[in-house]
Structure formats: structure tokens, C-alpha cells
Amino acid sequence: MDDIDAMNAEPDKKVFIKTYGCQMNVYDSQRMEDVLSGEGYVGTDQPEAADLVILNTCHIREKAAEKVYSELGRLRNYKHGREKTGNDMLIAVAGCVAQAEGEEIIRRAPIVDIVFGPQTYQRLPEFLHRRQAGESAIVETEFPTEDKFDRLDQSDRVRGPRTAVARGVSAFLTVQEGCNKFCSFCVVPYTRGAEFSRPVERIIGEATRLVAAGVREITLLGQNVNAYRGAASDGCSWSLGHLLAGLSEIEGLERLRYTTSHPRDMDDELIAQHATNPKVMPYLHLPVQSGSDRVLKAMNRRHTVEDYIAVIERLRRVRQDIALSGDFIVGFPGETEADFEATMSLVRQVTYAQAYSFKYSSRPGTPAADRSDQVDDYVKIDRLSRLQSLLGDQQREFNGSCIGREFPLLLERSGRHDGQLVGRSPYLQAVHVSSNQAQIGDMVNVRVEKAGANSLSAHII
Ligand code: 5AD
Ligand code: SF4
């Protein structure tokens, strides 16, 4: 830009985006920022100073919607404060609460200007222009037939590599969205819609741009990522295993991960990648939710405990050092003490490096919400604390078992002390090292010296 352009340019508008929930929302928020940067917006971390505030919301468990309404209460004061100075603040609610609640959000929080679901964020500039032109509050929660990624990719082509979302050395890349599984507790098939896989070349293009911008590790995202079936220019439909193989040919890309997977979709091609592709990390997030066949059936998981164990055995056969993570729900309607004990015994049998566990939360519109045999909250609290204590022990044990081991570390950020750097192990643990030479983005070999509950420390060898 020359000097005259700089003088005439409008000052940047500021956008504050608050992201709730899963990694896909993190990715979506970054893409919203990219879309908005084309409209002259820059990010700010101060909501009170923002011209546009977006809450990118999550609906997966209890209180998610309530948190959004209380945040909107806080924003009301900021908005009124700015109106007094003659500056407007636009407020938008995006994501899964927006999708599920729609108009209700405007009714309960009239300060909201725009409500838009996860399938429409590429149209954000249009919504802003319409609202600024005086249209009444906008609610867009349709599932459009056009592919949102297509629209985003077009803007990529126009603006070239600048739009590649490179934030640090590790990046997320959405390859699949939506879910056709309809587990009876879950809102995702309703808020994110049917399964959709992005075409292969688009993904490889985006990954190549990320790597050119300094990214060394890519985590492929999807609600059902291992159900990925993407069209490729060779006329074939690629599975996730095939896609991992294709992506690993990108020079400079060191590590690949993927999340979240469903046990039913762990096919041979994907499992083989863990055996043969050194870029695929030996770590897998594979939710099982419950260790009781009776509960799995009621959850409509469409697999048994035995099926799940068989998948883990196949993985461990080809990749002995694979570490596992999972998701568990306690207190699903009708869950008895014996069902819960079956979950505990499955956890003891599998052993997890890390895991997430939740109290069942009734989600309006899902089949399980209508059941009359809901479990009392005090029972859920008790089961959750027993399960979390077991999972916590396993995590400490896994971290402790790493002492003395050597592995490559991808350095991601600086630590709290001078000369301290923090990287990720192949098993996604945060690992602290001291070095005056190594830099963020380097891959270094380390030997682990100490282990804590949530992180390790190591020295570079
Ligand atoms: N209640 C509790 N946990 C849930 N999850 C999804 N829906 C619910 C619900 N209604 C959990 C599952 C899933 C993770 C992302 O969130 O464990 O794997
Ligand atoms: Fe929800 Fe089940 Fe789909 Fe996962 S597989 S997103 S838990 S419906």
C-alpha cells in the first residue's frame, strides 16, 4: 500500500470472537476471522472495544446455552456504553446453540443482531451488510445446499496463501463435518447436519499452504473423521487412511493426527496407516461412551464392548506403543450400578493415556431426553468422580511410564522461564525442555526426566 492509500484507508474495524466447545469451533472461528479480514476487520481480545462480537457457541452438554445468555448479559453493558459514544457494536451468535435455538435467542436477548448456524459462516459479510443497511435482526439457520467450504476455498483462490490459517506450528484442518450416526444422547446430527467430506484436492491444497506458512503438525478434524469419504480427481473416493497417506507426501509436514473417530469406522486401511506411516502419530482418541452392551444399545452406538476391544487389539497388534484417549458418559438413562461397573472394568482393561468423562446431560430433541428412567444427579456425580479418579490414576501412570523414554518433540511455544520451551510428545503430552539453541517449530529428540499429572519435563539429547 502506498502512502496515499494508507492515509485514505479506513481504520481497521475490530472483531472479538469467543469460542466455546470443540476444536471444530476453534477452526470455524479462525475461518470467520479470515472471512472478516477481507472486510477490514482485525481481531481484538477486548470485547468492550470491538465493533463486532461473535460468540461461537457449543450445545453438546448442559449449561452451554445458559453460559451464552449470561455472556450476552455482560455484552449488553458494553453495547450500551459504546452507543453513548456514537459507536455501534454488532453482536452475533454463531455455532450449535445458534443452530438449535434460532429465533429464541433474539427473543431472550434482543441486543443480538445476527444469529447464524455452523453451515452459514461464509455468508457473514452479507449478514453484516444487511444488518448495517437497516434490516431487522437476522436469523440464518438453514442448511444450504451449497458447500460452505467451496465458498471459502474460492476466497482462498482470490487471496492466495494469505488466507491459510497458520497459527503456530500445529494447525487444525476440517476434512469432514456432520454426523449420520444419531447416538441417542447427541445433538450433533441435528446441529451440524448430515455427514459431508471435503474433496481431497481442496484438503491437500490447504495443508500445503499451512506447511508453507510454517505448520509442522496437522490435526484433521471431523465429528466422524474416520467416516471420511472424499472425492478425488483420480475418480476414486478416498478413505481417511488414503487421505493420510496422500497428505504425508507433503514435504515439511512432520506429523498427522485426526479426531474424533467412531469405533465402527476404524477400517483396515486406516489401521494400516498406524503401522506403516511414521508421520501418523501413535495416539488415538476413540470414544466408547460406556462399557455396558445394554447401555451401548440404548445409546444407539451400533457396536458392542467386544467390537471396541477388537479394534483396540488390531491397533495394538500393528503399533505396540499406541496410546489411547476416549470419551465416557455416566448416568445415561437407565444406567444401573452394574452397567457403570462394566464401564470401570472396560477402562481397567483398555488403560487410557488420557480421557474425557461427562455426566449425561439431557439434550432437547434427542431420543434419550424423552426417557422416563433418568438417573438422579447425585448418582451421576458419584459415578463421575469414581470414573475420573480411575482415569486420573491411569493418566499419571502413563505419564510416569514415559520417564527414561526418548522421543521426538515438536516445540510449540516458549515456557514461563527464560530459555524454557514447551513441545508436544507423540502422545500429545505437553513437555517442558530448557535450551538456548532450539527454536519454536524445531523437532528435537528428548529423554523424559520427570512426569507430572498433566505434563512432562525432558532434556534434549
Ligand atoms: N451428555 C453428556 N455427554 C455428551 N457427549 C455428547 N453428548 C452428550 C450428552 N448429551 C459427550 C460424548 C462425546 C463428547 C464429544 O461429548 O462423550 O463423545
Ligand atoms: Fe454424536 Fe454419536 Fe455422531 Fe459422535 S457419533 S457426533 S456422539 S451422534
Side-chain angles (χ1 to χ4, degrees), residues 2-68:
D2 61 33
D3 286 351
I4 292 183
D5 277 351
M7 278 188 312
N8 290 340
E10 273 186 42
D12 283 329
K13 291 169 281 185
K14 295 196 176 73
V15 56
F16 171 82
I17 305 184
K18 180 162 179 164
T19 308
Y20 302 78
C22 66
Q23 289 153 338
M24 190 169 293
N25 264 10
V26 174
Y27 177 87
D28 283 353
S29 292
Q30 291 174 350
R31 298 316 301 259
M32 283 182 213
E33 257 182 47
D34 293 337
V35 169
L36 288 169
S37 77
E39 298 288 308
Y41 280 91
V42 294
T44 173
D45 50 13
Q46 294 176 312
E48 64 276 21
D51 302 285
L52 169 64
V53 172
I54 302 175
L55 304 181
N56 193 9
T57 61
C58 169
H59 199 46
I60 195 97
R61 281 174 296 275
E62 222 164 10
K63 301 207 182 92
E66 290 317 308
K67 274 189 219 152
V68 172

Side-chain angles (χ1 to χ4, degrees), residues 182-421:
F182 290 92
C183 297
S184 63
F185 53 82
C186 187
V187 287
V188 165
Y190 311 96
T191 59
R192 291 271 172 175
E195 277 176 19
F196 168 82
S197 295
R198 293 177 70 187
V200 167
E201 276 75 21
R202 295 276 164 77
I203 294 167
I204 292 183
E206 189 169 331
T208 307
R209 286 194 293 277
L210 287 168
V211 173
V215 165
R216 295 287 161 266
E217 171 180 279
I218 294 181
T219 303
L220 306 180
L221 297 181
Q223 264 93 30
N224 231 306
V225 72
N226 60 342
Y228 177 83
R229 285 258 145 220
S233 60
D234 63 5
C236 298
S237 160
W238 287 27
S239 68
L240 186 66
H242 198 161
L243 182 66
L244 287 167
L247 286 168
S248 63
E249 283 172 23
I250 299 174
E251 213 169 307
L253 177 59
E254 310 268 4
R255 289 178 163 186
L256 283 162
R257 304 179 185 276
Y258 56 95
T259 195
T260 290
S261 299
H262 192 283
R264 271 179 73 106
D265 297 315
M266 289 305 300
D267 61 22
D268 289 341
E269 205 174 10
L270 181 53
I271 291 178
Q273 281 294 301
H274 283 281
T276 57
N277 189 340
K279 292 189 179 179
V280 175
M281 289 296 98
Y283 180 84
L284 180 64
H285 182 65
L286 194 63
V288 63
Q289 316 296 357
S290 168
S292 153
D293 281 340
R294 212 178 63 83
V295 174
L296 288 175
K297 190 154 197 295
M299 286 177 162
N300 192 33
R301 289 287 294 176
R302 299 191 288 165
H303 64 78
T304 62
V305 174
E306 198 184 314
D307 298 332
Y308 179 76
I309 290 172
V311 170
I312 306 254
E313 280 173 355
R314 276 157 69 210
L315 279 158
R316 285 189 167 147
R317 221 172 289 137
V318 302
R319 186 75 209 228
Q320 249 179 345
D321 66 337
I322 198 160
L324 293 161
S325 152
D327 289 343
F328 298 90
I329 295 177
V330 300
F332 182 82
E335 185 190 70
T336 63
E337 181 60 23
D339 293 320
F340 173 70
E341 271 306 329
T343 300
M344 294 288 275
S345 87
L346 175 65
V347 171
R348 283 188 206 101
Q349 183 180 353
V350 172
T351 67
Y352 291 87
Q354 193 267 343
Y356 303 92
S357 48
F358 312 101
K359 287 194 294 182
Y360 167 75
S361 143
S362 165
R363 303 284 77 203
T366 60
D370 297 331
R371 289 181 52 150
S372 56
D373 50 355
Q374 303 288 327
V375 173
D376 284 334
D377 199 46
Y378 73 91
V379 176
K380 291 186 201 168
I381 292 171
D382 171 61
R383 289 180 188 164
L384 186 66
S385 87
R386 282 150 70 197
L387 177 58
Q388 289 189 334
S389 133
L390 175 60
L391 290 167
D393 288 347
Q394 293 194 345
Q395 182 168 338
R396 270 185 297 276
E397 205 154 299
F398 177 74
N399 287 349
S401 76
C402 292
I403 295 175
R405 282 186 63 181
E406 292 173 10
F407 45 59
L409 205 63
L410 174 61
L411 298 175
E412 283 187 353
R413 59 184 168 91
S414 36
R416 247 179 275 158
H417 311 295
D418 247 9
Q420 195 183 46
L421 291 163

